[in-house]
């Protein structure tokens, strides 16, 4: 069962394009995981500093750093950023390698990021970079500051902006963390009416709706990687825990 795979792990890493994305694609999940003793980290690729109705990007970035810090403090989790500019997150290997370095350093059992079917270019870039990062993190021949590492699970979270072809193939009980998330999310001005989109109403109802289908009070939906991604990279569900999970491109020539 996926709940046991996630909550039975040691750590969880959530990678979002903008501060506030990780908070909605895996907020109650993170709160539940932290309550159960997992080390949880949010990685914001940009701070999402564009688009405030009155603040400059620099001022809004500073505000969002404060908001991220207060949100995470309430949930007992950590956060860090890569510092790319909002709306201009590159879809390239530089970003993927920086994410790979974080994966190698933190060694998360489970990674959550965006589903690729998004109208927002930064969300698509985050999804692409994270998938590449999982490969780079696992490549034993790629020398970086930390040794190679493969997570056991890569999941794509549910975000109102990433709805093109999103399939909620996994439902995870997040009832234990919902109340903490509901209280902490209001640290963000985005959750208090800055945007015309009613974030808190939408996500609270969404988590409850997923819970109805899951037989729990609240649940979050995730899409999983394809069978070919898992098998081709060889990075997940290793046959033996003593064997490196990834030995190359999966063609067998690198065994
Ligand atoms: Zn976003």
């Amino acid at each position: 069962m996926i709940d046991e795979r996630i909550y039975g792990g040691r750590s969880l890493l959530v990678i979002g394009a903008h501060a506030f994305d990780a908070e909605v694609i895996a907020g109650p999940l993170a709160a539940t995981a932290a309550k159960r003793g997992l080390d949880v980290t949010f990685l914001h690729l940009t701070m999402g500093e564009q688009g405030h109705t009155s603040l400059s990007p620099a001022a809004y970035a500073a505000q969002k750093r404060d908001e991220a810090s207060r949100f995470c403090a309430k949930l007992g989790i950590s956060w860090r950023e890569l510092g790319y500019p909002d709306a201009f997150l590159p879809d390239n290997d530089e970003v993927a390698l920086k994410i790979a370095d974080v994966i190698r350093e933190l060694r998360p059992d489970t990674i959550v990021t965006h589903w690729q079917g998004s109208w927002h270019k930064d969300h698509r870039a985050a999804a692409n970079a994270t998938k590449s990062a999982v490969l780079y993190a696992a490549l034993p021949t790629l020398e970086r500051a930390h040794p190679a590492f493969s997570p056991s699970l890569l999941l794509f979270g549910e975000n109102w902006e990433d709805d093109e072809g999103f399939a909620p193939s996994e439902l995870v009980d997040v009832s234990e963390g919902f109340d903490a998330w509901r209280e902490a999310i209001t640290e963000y001005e985005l959750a208090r009416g800055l945007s015309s989109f009613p974030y808190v109403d939408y996500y609270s109802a969404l988590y409850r709706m997923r819970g109805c289908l899951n037989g729990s009070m609240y649940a979050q939906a995730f899409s999983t990687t394809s069978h070919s991604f898992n098998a081709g990279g060889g990075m997940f569900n290793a046959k033996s825990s003593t064997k490196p999970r990834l030995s190359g491109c999966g063609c067998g020539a690198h065994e």
Side-chain angles (χ1 to χ4, degrees):
M1 190 176 176
I2 194 166
D3 293 47
E4 280 137 29
R5 288 186 68 188
I6 297 170
Y7 297 134
R10 187 188 60 80
S11 63
L12 167 69
L13 174 63
V14 185
I15 300 165
H18 314 105
F20 197 77
D21 283 325
E23 284 80 347
V24 296
I25 63 176
L29 179 83
T32 304
K35 279 177 181 286
R36 297 189 183 190
L38 276 73
D39 290 327
V40 181
T41 303
F42 283 2
L43 176 62
H44 304 314
L45 304 182
T46 85
M47 290 312 293
E49 69 275 13
Q50 301 280 359
H52 195 284
T53 51
S54 59
L55 294 177
S56 69
Y60 190 34
Q63 176 179 311
K64 289 197 82 174
R65 289 188 182 98
D66 288 342
E67 293 169 342
S69 296
R70 290 196 299 272
F71 174 90
C72 288
K74 286 191 169 177
L75 266 52
I77 67 178
S78 305
W79 74 278
R80 56 176 73 184
E81 61 174 303
L82 287 191
Y84 285 99
D86 184 9
F88 293 94
L89 178 65
D91 190 348
N92 64 20
D93 282 342
E94 177 191 284
V95 178
L97 285 166
K98 288 184 178 181
I99 297 171
D101 287 341
V102 174
I103 293 171
R104 286 186 175 205
E105 177 192 343
L106 299 179
R107 304 174 73 81
D109 303 292
T110 301
I111 295 176
V112 179
T113 191
H114 292 268
W115 171 245
Q116 64 199 12
S118 180
W119 72 267
H120 200 304
K121 62 187 287 288
D122 286 352
H123 290 203
R124 296 195 303 272
N128 290 337
T130 300
K131 284 186 280 190
S132 298
V134 168
L135 172 64
Y136 292 148
L139 276 175
T141 49
L142 182 62
E143 290 196 17
R144 307 291 290 178
H146 299 281
F149 174 78
S150 292
S152 61
L153 199 57
L154 173 61
L155 299 171
F156 307 106
E158 190 167 27
N159 183 305
W160 76 288
E161 294 170 301
D162 306 344
D163 63 338
E164 296 172 21
F166 178 81
S169 55
E170 303 287 345
L171 298 176
V172 180
D173 185 351
V174 297
S175 305
E176 205 175 316
F178 175 82
D179 288 345
W181 170 84
R182 178 66 184 79
E183 204 270 323
I185 197 65
T186 56
E187 292 294 345
Y188 278 94
E189 189 180 1
L190 271 173
R192 301 194 306 270
L194 172 62
S195 166
S196 59
F197 187 75
Y199 283 101
V200 175
D201 288 352
Y202 175 85
Y203 282 104
S204 296
L206 180 69
Y207 306 148
R208 177 69 188 109
M209 180 271 283
R210 295 300 186 199
C212 291
L213 300 174
N214 190 47
S216 58
M217 183 57 73
Y218 296 102
Q220 286 206 253
F222 300 93
S223 182
T224 53
T225 46
S226 68
H227 294 303
S228 66
F229 185 87
N230 295 344
M235 61 195 80
F236 304 120
N237 304 322
K239 290 175 184 170
S240 167
S241 60
T242 59
K243 184 181 176 183
R245 291 180 182 175
L246 179 69
S247 55
C249 68
C251 70
H254 315 286
E255 296 282 353

